[in-house]
């Protein structure tokens, strides 16, 4: 009995809810006509959604005219003609709102001024030069409020914490359709950066001072404060950084700053597995110690294994004058690589000082390279002491990993002397340029690449140059229609049966270029067509190799995943190669 009672009660409740929802959805429908798109959007925002109950419908009918008037006055139209009709014979009721906006009110006088210390502030002068309202323009209350908000917001960002709007008035003469707009901003005095309060035991205070883009006593700037916090975060020393100004504790207009630093994990280990067409399957392990001591030292140990290119690298970082912009790196490297038809084993110790200045990065280096390789039945080994200099620059617009425009430049030069620790005299130069541009139609994009290289050494010692100092071409980052490092100077080797075969041993010159057209057909996908050309050769022996191909790119937050097919059209028997990569152009 009780079960049947409760079942009937639940059924009645369900039917009641359904009837209420139907009734709520069918009380009134309205339509506004006669307005421009901007006017219609603002009026619709003032009217709001259609009423869902009879009480709301009654209120909506009474207030609809005033809401339309308010929506138009906000845009400067004070004399609209409004005709409202309601058809009650239909369910839901039908409301038609016919509107003629009329002539707008224009601004006869625009009086915007800044007084106080901000009157001499260039940022405020720039803001006043591009106000959203002007004399003769249509009065727009939304733009007026935005103008007021921008003054107050800029004041807070620039340290005018006592600022006030002294005068804020819009006077409209409806008969003449003229308006007077007055907005007077009084900034008061600008506050300055005070003392920095931090835990001295977290990091050597000299490093924090170097990262700070302002000095105590400088005018307050929220941008510089955020830049300071960002630079502390970029060091990798901390899991979190909080830089908090205390305006309420300011003395003599100097704002103290509390710097709270949350240390990163003492050690971190990353294990990865991946695949590259050039080096095939790859396993990697990276061990990092982001902060070894209070002077900002750190280390990274990277182990990678693939059948073609196993390697290990240890790098110890020592900040000098700046933890981010001036760093000494001590390096050790063990690597095995296949250069053409040569298996090479390298051991390297080096030191490099990297200095950043704006977008330019320069580095002075010294490395000792010991390399062993087998060629044509002979074993070779060589030792080099190579001082060098590199210079790089990256400029981009748009997303970091998918820029709409940009230019990447990289230049490197190294020297060796048989009088200073090298087995031979040499000069090695290399450069790489990548240019990206988007055509007027944003779906179309061009990417151009150019690689140049040269080694200058005695002809008598040509064959003694280590493979890693020669140049090779081919692979997913070079000539995509050719196998990894398969293009270079060739030697003939005679086999035991009297036949001969060609061995790729690399050239002392490099010239490789690429032009790629990309078309983005959705937010996440784009196609690509490309042509590659070039050679790794000895002086005056250039023989161009050409490759054509196409690809499909899937855009991700960490870069494009690229599936590319390319053919080596220069060969008598061209073949297709598949390349899979992830990353940005630079």
């Amino acid at each position: 009995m009780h079960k049947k009672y409760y079942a009937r009660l639940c059924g009645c409740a369900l039917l009641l809810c359904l009837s209420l929802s139907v009734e709520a959805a069918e009380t009134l429908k309205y339509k506004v006509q006669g307005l421009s798109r901007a006017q219609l959007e603002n009026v619709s925002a003032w009217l709001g959604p259609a009423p869902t109950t009879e009480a709301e419908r009654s209120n909506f009918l009474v207030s609809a005219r005033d809401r339309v008037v308010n929506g138009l006055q906000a845009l400067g139209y004070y004399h609209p003609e409004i005709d409202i009709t309601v058809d009650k014979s239909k369910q839901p009721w039908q409301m038609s709102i016919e509107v003629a906006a009329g002539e707008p009110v224009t601004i006869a006088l625009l009086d915007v001024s800044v007084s106080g210390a901000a009157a001499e502030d260039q940022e405020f002068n720039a803001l006043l030069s591009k106000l959203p309202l002007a004399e003769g323009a249509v009065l727009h209350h939304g733009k007026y409020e935005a103008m007021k908000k921008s003054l107050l917001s800029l004041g807070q960002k620039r340290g005018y914490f006592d600022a006030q709007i002294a005068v804020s008035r819009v006077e409209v003469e409806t008969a003449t359709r003229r308006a007077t707009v007055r907005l007077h901003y009084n900034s008061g005095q600008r506050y300055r950066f005070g003392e920095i309060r931090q835990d001295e035991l977290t990091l050597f205070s000299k490093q924090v001072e170097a990262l700070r883009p302002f000095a105590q006593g400088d005018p307050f700037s929220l941008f510089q404060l955020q830049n300071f916090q960002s630079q502390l975060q970029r060091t990798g020393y901390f899991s979190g950084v909080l830089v908090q100004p205390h305006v309420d504790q300011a003395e003599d207009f100097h704002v103290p700053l509390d710097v709270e630093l949350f240390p990163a994990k003492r050690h971190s280990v990353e294990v990865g597995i991946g695949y590259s067409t050039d080096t095939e399957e790859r396993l990697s392990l990276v061990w990092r110690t982001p902060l070894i001591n209070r002077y900002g030292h750190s280390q990274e140990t990277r182990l990678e294994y693939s059948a073609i290119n196993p390697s290990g690298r240890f790098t110890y970082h020592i900040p000098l004058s700046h933890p981010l912009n001036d760093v000494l790196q001590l390096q050790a490297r063990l690597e095995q690589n296949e250069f053409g038809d040569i298996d090479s084993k390298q051991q390297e110790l080096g030191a490099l000082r990297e200095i950043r200045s704006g977008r330019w990065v320069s580095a002075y280096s010294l490395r000792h390279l010991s390399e062993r390789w087998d060629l044509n039945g002979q074993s070779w080994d060589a030792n080099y002491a190579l001082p060098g200099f590199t210079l790089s620059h990256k400029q981009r617009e748009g997303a970091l990993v998918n820029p709409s425009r940009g230019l990447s430049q990289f230049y490197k030069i190294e020297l060796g002397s048989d009088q200073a620790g090298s087995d031979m005299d040499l000069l090695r130069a290399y450069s790489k340029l990548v240019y990206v541009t988007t055509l007027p139609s944003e779906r179309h994009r061009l990417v151009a690449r150019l690689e140049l290289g040269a080694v200058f050494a005695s002809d008598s010692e040509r064959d003694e140059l280590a493979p890693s100092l020669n140049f090779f071409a081919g692979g997913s980052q070079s000539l995509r229609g050719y196998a990894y490092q398969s293009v270079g100077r060739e030697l003939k080797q005679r086999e035991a049966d009297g036949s001969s075969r060609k061995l790729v041993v690399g050239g002392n010159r490099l010239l490789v270029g690429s032009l790629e057209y990309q078309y983005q057909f959705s937010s996440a996908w784009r196609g690509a067509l490309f042509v590659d050309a070039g050679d790794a050769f000895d002086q005056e022996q250039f023989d161009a190799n050409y490759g054509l191909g196409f690809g499909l790119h899937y855009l991700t937050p960490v870069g494009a995943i690229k599936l590319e097919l390319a053919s080596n059209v220069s060969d008598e028997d061209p073949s297709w190669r598949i390349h899979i990569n992830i990353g940005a152009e630079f």
Side-chain angles (χ1 to χ4, degrees), residues 142 295 393 397 449 513 558:
Y295 299 98
H393 177 268
E397 298 177 17
R449 303 178 184 87
V558 296

Side-chain angles (χ1 to χ4, degrees), residues 209-324:
E209 288 295 321
L211 290 166
R212 187 173 64 175
F214 53 84
Q216 184 172 336
D218 285 352
F220 184 92
S221 166
L222 182 60
F223 172 78
Q224 288 190 329
L225 191 69
Q226 292 172 337
N227 186 24
F228 179 38
Q229 181 166 316
S230 174
Q231 291 209 79
L232 285 168
Q233 192 72 61
R234 283 174 52 206
T235 62
Y237 299 152
F238 314 106
S239 61
V241 175
L242 180 62
V243 181
Q244 187 173 4
H246 291 280
V247 179
D248 57 328
Q249 300 175 20
E251 295 183 3
D252 193 23
F253 296 99
H254 284 67
V255 181
L257 307 175
D258 280 345
V259 179
E260 196 169 358
L261 306 174
F262 304 92
K265 290 182 179 179
R266 179 73 175 171
H267 301 281
S268 67
V269 177
E270 297 177 5
V271 179
I273 182 171
Y275 177 86
S276 168
T277 310
D278 292 342
T279 56
E280 299 179 355
E281 298 84 1
R282 177 179 293 273
L283 297 173
S284 64
L285 184 146
V286 182
W287 167 38
R288 293 187 180 93
T289 309
L291 187 59
I292 293 175
N293 53 40
R294 61 194 296 262
Y295 299 98
H297 295 194
S298 61
Q299 72 84 26
E300 178 181 286
T301 302
R302 182 181 295 270
L303 302 176
E304 295 185 336
Y305 175 78
S306 71
I308 294 176
N309 181 214
S311 64
R313 181 185 295 268
F314 171 77
T315 306
Y316 191 88
H317 302 265
I318 303 174
L320 298 178
S321 63
H322 192 283
L324 296 173

Side-chain angles (χ1 to χ4, degrees), residues 153-195:
S153 176
L154 181 59
Q156 290 296 304
K157 293 176 181 178
R158 302 285 291 173
Y160 301 98
F161 298 119
D162 298 331
Q164 293 181 340
I165 299 293
V167 176
S168 175
R169 188 163 59 248
V170 177
E171 300 171 349
V172 178
E173 297 179 6
T174 57
T176 60
R177 297 187 178 90
R178 292 163 61 87
T180 299
V181 177
R182 301 185 188 277
L183 184 59
H184 297 175
Y185 173 87
N186 185 354
S187 70
Q189 187 164 334
R190 187 176 184 182
Y191 283 67
R192 297 180 176 273
F193 287 112
E195 65 172 329

